[in-house]
Amino acid sequence: MTSDRVVVTGFGVASPFGLGIDALYDGMLAGQSMVGELPSPRSALAPGYGGLVTLKASAIRGLPNSRDMRPGTMTRYTFLSTLALGNAMEHGDCPWDDGDGALRRGFYVASYTNSDRFDKYVRFAHHVIDQDQDRPFINDSEVPQAIRKFSGFEFLKLMNNMPTAHGGIQGRCQGPCNTFLGTPSGGAQAIGRSLAAIRDGLADTMYAGGVGSSAHDHMMMVRATRGLNSSAEVAPVQAGRPFDRGATGIVPGEGSAVLVLERESTARARGAKIYAELAGYGEWFAPPATREGVQPGPEATIRSMAAALKMAGADSGDVDVVAVHGESRNDLDALEASALAESLGSRVSEVPVMALAAHVGSVEAAVGPMGAALVLQALETGKVPGALNRQDPLPEYQGPTSSESVTMDARLGVVSLTTREGVSSALVFRKLEN
Amino acid sequence: MTGSKVVITGMGVVVPHGDDIEQVYQRIIRGENECRRITRFDASTYPCQIGSEVRYEVEAPDKIGPYTIHNEALKYVAGATDRAIKAAAIGPAEGAAQDRRAIVLSTGVGPANIDFLGPIALRVHGSDEDPYKANLEDFYGAAPAEPEAQGLDEFHLDTAAPACAIQFGAAHVYNTASACASGSHAIADAAAMIHRGEADAVLAGGVCTPVTRVLVPGFSMLQALSTRNDDPEHASRPFDKDRDGFVMGEGAAVMVLESEEHARARGATILAELAGWGYSCDSYRLTDPHPEGIGMALCMTRALESAGMAPEEIDHVNAHGTSTAYNDAAETLAIKKALGEHAYQVPVSSNKSMFGHLIHAAGALEGCLSVMTILQGVVPPTINYQTPDPSCDLDYVPNVAREMPVNAVLKNSFGFGGMNVSVVYRRYEA
């Protein structure tokens, strides 16, 4: 166990704005949304729009250890995760290949799922399913032939731990490596568990983050069956409306982010730039009332933020800026807004609230790590983007609604997530005095 | 960090050999095999026709909180959780007490089950040239259909860990995956949370239902599965020279882990201590373990260090032992690297010889059997061991269980993608 602080020495982002935090943050400061019409044939599917990362496979070239990375072996999730990790390693000026250094380095990443080629499975099913008196049945004798439409590697690359496995190779990580699944809080969990891993002495450096890709058929179909997608009748750039009465649902989006976390002594020994301390982490689970619904109240989010602030030795009065989930559905946003109001108390009207969904859509498990990157950039630059598409706020939302960016001396920032799955989480970052 | 001793107070399984861990263990030490021809579907034309299935009616709740327990994986893990909680005699926590409880569960199915795609495929019934594009728009435009919503859930299993959290009364929920290392990974992570003082009690383990029409032929394409179709009971043969791949198995296994103080304060029966754990990543290749077993050895060494134990204190190695050419040879090398000369003295066995590879649940089930080995003093055999392989030259407890005092078991779990976890289970001494 180490008594060192855990610090952030780099952070990488892949977003619809491009590669790197500057592209994303500058776009947000300019009040832009990258939500646009999806390419055909997906444009014909409701809602028909989303925030896509348009970087090509060639974007991996030139990133650290890219010679070991093969985009053909990657799902969309793995590809985006690889981009963010490579970008983080560059941003943190991390060693690419330092021999035994790998022994003290790990990688935790979250991915809601790793299945992005639902079409292939439907095609497969089409070939093996027959119909008997309106009841479908699977003709097993067709399976061996139909399965040949896949390559053997297809099954490997769809395994949920593949973003981590690629990252373990890319980042030269021989310490703890794991994948967190099943909730948009997964990315915050990956960062929180990385904090614990360093404090436990399991690693000196952890790459930690998350990846989301909800703008593909599978996730859109999941949301369609649950009635969660945003309306096709809304203009794409106005579709992501966190905390706004006019929100109609979840906007498909994509993105990824990875932080470089280090023991402070390790970071200082290699002369790394320190952006902030990762000072606290908290979480709380409260099940939704129904499968399609949300938690019965905001307590889980309140508890998770309180736990993170307590670990950081801070209180709500210290919070300068917040990044949230802001799903863009009124039921969950109302809960999240209530939790913010309760947690921030009288300061709720003045603490800027950054919500990615307005700019890039829903990024699933990347929302925590990307939110962390936003908070770190706010601490670094002293600039905070204004609120986008928040003109008619929900009554529960008492935070700022101005679209103007603000300049401030931000010292402490929080990532706070309320999720439909019931897992709330929070991270606290504090700027260090040199 | 409190440095609390981590103890095991309950275990629950729903696996091919049964749903009572003591009976499962008795069958295992008798060398009874559950690897047979697949019955869940007609696999007679498949390259691999062998599986290790749960072939009995599973008792599990129909609904947990908002979650319908609608598929095998959810039934298995809900059933196993129910049994572990009862075995540990620990009720669900409520209110603020939930803060001291957690779930760490590994779930693995992914795009594994095409059965549910039937209704979807029929609705998306395009032409043979393009069965997908044609009417997908209709699908989106239609009202949600519950079977489809449930079917799509199977791609995630995102309800398994939350459902278990409700059963256990936990405020902290982790759903993790490190492929075949997942079950042990979840248990090690749970132990770390308790050791660190974050939690008093954690329910941890894994569930997997990979005996499906997609994954069985799919993993055959990777040449990972045995094709000994005419002799299924001899298909899983870890460390044997004639091994030709693993057998897919299904099931769920979980443990209740507690801090020693918490367990003693409530008068719980302590089954064993979880003394140490170690993680590593090969950082080598996606498909193969490092041929010299470097990552595997590293996590064993780290687990021993974590337990504060010398190699000579390990009485038995419960191997990953998949029955693939690569794994078993690399694991043998790694055991020798980690344990030195003691590797030749310690009995090493692979439970997978009897129930195949439960993938995300494998490490958890084999962990439960490791605890039973300590309690009962009988080391399970590696069955189907007939022809020695020069690259596998340790004592694999061939075919017959061995009675001997066992104080400490080193449990190995290694996953695709090079993720490795080792756990040390030790006899509990107050």
Side-chain angles (χ1 to χ4, degrees):
Chain A
M1 185 175 166
T2 176
S3 57
D4 267 359
R5 291 183 289 197
V6 174
V7 296
V8 184
T9 56
F11 42 106
V13 177
S15 77
F17 287 96
L19 191 61
I21 183 63
D22 289 341
L24 171 63
Y25 210 68
D26 289 350
M28 289 179 65
L29 285 169
Q32 295 175 348
S33 166
M34 291 300 284
V35 178
E37 186 174 321
L38 292 172
S40 176
R42 213 171 295 165
S43 57
L45 310 175
Y49 52 76
L52 289 182
V53 175
T54 55
L55 295 161
K56 304 295 183 200
S58 58
I60 285 178
R61 281 188 220 132
L63 291 177
N65 300 323
S66 61
R67 69 180 187 281
D68 297 328
M69 296 290 104
R70 308 272 182 280
T73 66
M74 299 175 183
T75 61
R76 188 75 180 155
Y77 292 88
T78 302
F79 173 63
L80 294 173
S81 170
T82 299
L83 287 175
L85 174 55
N87 186 241
M89 290 172 70
E90 282 190 327
H91 190 250
D93 196 19
C94 299
W96 286 25
D97 200 345
D98 56 349
D100 285 349
L103 295 169
R104 301 288 303 160
R105 194 157 49 233
F107 182 40
Y108 286 169
V109 68
S111 174
Y112 191 97
T113 174
N114 189 28
S115 170
D116 62 346
R117 293 303 307 272
F118 191 66
D119 57 329
K120 281 203 168 192
Y121 290 92
V122 172
R123 287 193 175 98
F124 174 66
H126 177 86
H127 288 293
V128 301
I129 287 173
D130 288 335
Q131 188 147 349
D132 180 16
Q133 295 178 342
D134 291 333
R135 290 175 59 84
F137 72 95
I138 295 172
N139 185 345
D140 280 305
S141 66
E142 300 285 348
V143 169
Q145 190 61 33
I147 204 80
R148 293 179 190 281
K149 297 181 186 301
F150 296 79
S151 72
F153 216 87
E154 204 73 42
F155 299 95
L156 187 71
K157 77 182 190 184
L158 285 165
M159 292 180 76
N160 283 326
N161 69 320
M162 280 298 119
T164 320
H166 280 78
I169 296 169
Q170 180 187 17
R172 302 293 192 263
C173 303
Q174 294 181 341
C177 292
N178 207 354
T179 313
F180 296 75
L181 302 167
T183 164
S185 272
Q189 289 185 325
I191 294 170
R193 295 340 292 179
S194 294
L195 173 65
I198 294 174
R199 285 181 171 170
D200 282 357
L202 297 175
D204 295 331
T205 303
M206 291 292 296
Y207 300 133
V211 56
S213 177
S214 68
H216 57 77
D217 297 351
H218 176 198
M219 285 308 297
M220 289 163 71
M221 193 177 284
V222 168
R223 290 187 177 132
T225 57
R226 296 185 191 156
L228 297 175
N229 277 329
S230 53
S231 166
E233 307 304 317
V234 180
V237 295
Q238 294 175 9
R241 311 188 68 80
F243 309 112
D244 189 89
R245 289 177 200 261
T248 60
I250 299 172
V251 176
E254 283 189 331
S256 57
V258 170
L259 310 187
V260 181
L261 304 174
E262 294 188 67
R263 275 164 39 125
E264 184 178 6
S265 58
T266 305
R268 292 201 185 281
R270 73 178 183 92
K273 175 179 169 73
I274 293 174
Y275 290 91
E277 176 192 8
L278 171 56
Y281 170 67
E283 65 186 11
W284 194 276
F285 167 71
T290 67
R291 184 73 181 94
E292 291 75 25
V294 295
Q295 297 163 341
E299 288 74 21
T301 305
I302 294 167
R303 284 177 190 266
S304 66
M305 197 197 293
L309 287 168
K310 183 180 176 188
M311 185 187 286
D315 61 40
S316 59
D318 300 319
V319 178
D320 295 314
V321 62
V322 180
V324 297
H325 186 195
E327 187 192 49
S328 193
R329 267 185 64 89
N330 283 173
D331 54 354
L332 195 69
D333 285 358
L335 269 188
E336 189 156 43
S338 298
L340 279 178
E342 176 73 20
S343 297
L344 297 176
S346 60
R347 299 191 59 243
V348 67
S349 61
E350 63 194 64
V351 176
V353 177
M354 296 184 282
L356 271 167
H359 302 269
V360 299
S362 166
V363 292
E364 301 174 336
V367 69
M370 289 178 78
L374 299 181
V375 163
L376 290 160
Q377 192 73 348
L379 299 182
E380 177 69 9
T381 64
K383 295 177 189 167
V384 183
L388 182 65
N389 297 336
R390 219 178 295 173
Q391 294 91 344
D392 185 13
L394 294 167
E396 293 84 356
Y397 180 77
Q398 298 169 39
T401 57
S402 168
S403 60
E404 297 296 316
S405 61
V406 294
T407 300
M408 62 191 301
D409 181 22
R411 316 300 297 173
L412 188 134
V414 171
V415 177
S416 174
L417 307 176
T418 308
T419 72
R420 191 161 292 281
E421 291 75 5
V423 181
S424 295
S425 57
L427 298 160
V428 176
F429 296 91
R430 180 193 285 121
K431 197 166 184 178
L432 293 184
E433 305 298 336
N434 289 318
Chain B
M1 184 164 167
T2 66
S4 286
K5 195 181 272 189
V6 181
V7 298
I8 297 150
T9 56
M11 301 185 286
V13 297
V14 174
V15 295
H17 282 78
D19 60 3
D20 177 310
I21 185 60
E22 297 204 8
Q23 290 176 10
V24 169
Y25 176 72
Q26 292 303 322
R27 292 192 64 200
I28 292 295
I29 60 175
R30 288 197 296 267
E32 293 182 14
N33 197 338
E34 281 292 338
C35 298
R36 302 177 195 166
R37 292 186 70 84
I38 290 170
T39 60
R40 184 145 305 147
F41 47 89
D42 177 7
S44 59
T45 59
Y46 290 28
C48 171
Q49 301 161 15
I50 310 162
S52 179
E53 299 167 303
V54 173
R55 297 184 176 93
Y56 54 86
E57 192 62 33
V58 174
E59 285 181 29
D62 295 330
K63 199 165 170 52
I64 298 172
Y67 310 117
T68 305
I69 306 304
H70 61 81
N71 62 36
E72 279 79 11
L74 291 170
K75 277 182 198 165
Y76 297 168
V77 73
T81 297
D82 208 30
R83 284 156 182 75
I85 289 170
K86 283 179 181 151
I90 187 169
E94 294 179 355
Q98 294 179 1
D99 192 26
R100 304 294 300 166
R101 295 265 186 107
I103 297 288
V104 188
L105 190 70
S106 169
T107 59
V109 173
N113 196 339
I114 58 162
D115 298 28
F116 73 85
L117 285 176
I120 296 172
L122 284 175
R123 283 180 58 184
V124 188
H125 55 359
S127 64
D128 280 348
E129 288 72 33
D130 195 345
Y132 185 64
K133 273 187 199 170
N135 291 315
L136 199 55
E137 198 174 351
D138 293 344
F139 181 89
Y140 281 88
E146 188 57 22
E148 290 163 351
Q150 288 182 352
L152 289 160
D153 278 351
E154 297 203 24
F155 271 69
H156 300 308
L157 268 185
D158 62 353
T159 57
C164 292
I166 293 172
Q167 288 175 283
F168 194 53
H172 307 283
V173 181
Y174 292 94
N175 184 348
T176 62
S178 52
C180 316
S182 297
S184 287
H185 214 144
I187 288 167
D189 285 353
M193 292 178 77
I194 293 167
H195 190 65
R196 193 184 299 126
E198 268 186 76
D200 295 327
V202 184
L203 188 137
V207 58
C208 206
T209 52
V211 187
T212 70
R213 291 177 166 99
V214 170
L215 287 188
V216 171
F219 272 77
S220 290
M221 294 175 78
L222 285 168
Q223 298 184 323
L225 300 186
S226 172
T227 54
R228 200 181 285 263
N229 295 324
D230 54 352
D231 187 15
E233 294 210 344
H234 294 96
S236 184
R237 42 197 316 123
F239 304 110
D240 184 271
K241 188 179 181 186
D242 297 326
R243 64 190 183 278
D244 70 334
F246 68 83
V247 171
M248 286 285 198
E250 64 177 6
V254 297
M255 291 180 182
V256 175
L257 306 170
E258 296 181 64
S259 69
E260 180 185 32
E261 300 78 28
H262 187 263
R264 289 173 67 93
R266 70 179 189 86
T269 300
I270 294 175
L271 303 175
E273 178 190 357
L274 203 160
W277 51 94
Y279 313 94
S280 73
C281 179
D282 279 4
S283 188
Y284 176 65
R285 281 185 189 164
L286 299 177
T287 47
D288 308 321
H290 194 289
E292 293 172 29
I294 288 173
M296 295 174 174
L298 191 58
C299 74
M300 284 187 250
T301 301
R302 285 171 171 168
L304 288 171
E305 288 172 358
S306 162
M309 294 172 71
E312 294 73 24
E313 293 178 85
I314 295 297
D315 301 308
H316 166 49
V317 175
N318 186 310
H320 187 55
T322 56
S323 184
T324 61
Y326 284 128
N327 175 85
D328 295 357
E331 184 170 11
T332 297
L333 267 177
I335 291 170
K336 289 189 270 191
K337 277 184 202 295
L339 302 187
E341 282 301 309
H342 185 60
Y344 292 97
Q345 315 301 321
V346 68
V348 178
S349 57
S350 171
N351 305 157
K352 290 185 180 75
S353 58
M354 289 166 274
F355 48 68
H357 195 342
L358 272 61
I359 315 290
H360 287 70
L365 170 57
E366 292 155 16
C368 291
L369 292 170
S370 299
V371 171
M372 291 303 301
T373 302
I374 291 169
L375 292 172
Q376 302 285 330
V378 183
V379 172
T382 303
I383 69 165
N384 297 328
Y385 186 86
Q386 292 167 347
T387 309
D389 177 350
S391 67
C392 300
D393 57 349
L394 300 176
D395 170 8
Y396 300 109
V397 196
N399 303 311
V400 179
R402 188 176 302 167
E403 282 190 45
M404 58 179 278
V406 178
N407 284 307
V409 177
L410 178 65
K411 167 76 211 118
N412 288 334
S413 294
F414 309 131
F416 267 124
M419 288 169 199
N420 311 304
V421 180
S422 292
V423 176
V424 177
Y425 296 94
R426 184 163 62 191
R427 182 179 300 281
Y428 174 70
E429 290 179 8

